[in-house]
Amino acid sequence: MNFPGSPDSPGSPDSPSLPGAPGFPGLPGSPESSAGDTAPICSAKGCRAPAVWVLAWNNPKLHTPERRKTWLACDEHREHLSSFLGMRGFLKDVVELTEWERNSATDR
């Protein structure tokens, strides 16, 4: 059993950083990150390359037809991530990140 402050509890100095919890490096809202210091990165597991593409998708069993979730992709992983979403019938659109940001700014 892990207790706060024990060596195996999340956030203790001896434990690895785990995503999804406040105060861990690289996550929005953590002290080490701010909105302006990181460029969007590829959503492929383990990839740290800059994102070039936005893959807009939705799961029709969970989302309304107009809802769009997004994954980001570098040039190397665009096809793989598109295929993954496409095989499931989730992929709705693939757009260059710069175009997506431009369109998002005009929608506000």
Side-chain angles (χ1 to χ4, degrees), residues 34-57:
S34 66
D37 68 352
T38 58
I41 60 165
C42 181
S43 298
K45 185 176 182 176
C47 185
R48 305 297 297 164
V52 179
W53 301 95
V54 175
L55 287 63
W57 63 277

Side-chain angles (χ1 to χ4, degrees), residues 20-103:
F24 289 99
L27 293 179
S30 68
E32 294 83 5
S33 70
S34 66
D37 68 352
T38 58
I41 60 165
C42 181
S43 298
K45 185 176 182 176
C47 185
R48 305 297 297 164
V52 179
W53 301 95
V54 175
L55 287 63
W57 63 277
N58 81 0
N59 180 341
K61 291 182 180 179
L62 302 175
H63 307 123
T64 60
E66 64 279 351
R67 171 97 188 260
R68 292 295 180 265
K69 305 282 284 179
T70 56
W71 281 358
L72 302 177
C74 63
D75 283 328
E76 181 181 349
H77 292 111
R78 174 188 172 196
E79 189 60 38
H80 172 73
L81 294 174
S82 294
S83 296
F84 180 89
L85 293 168
M87 288 185 340
R88 291 156 179 79
F90 295 174
L91 186 63
K92 303 301 177 192
D93 202 6
V94 178
V95 180
E96 285 191 23
L97 178 60
T98 54
E99 181 182 341
W100 182 270
E101 290 173 332
R102 206 171 30 251
N103 291 340

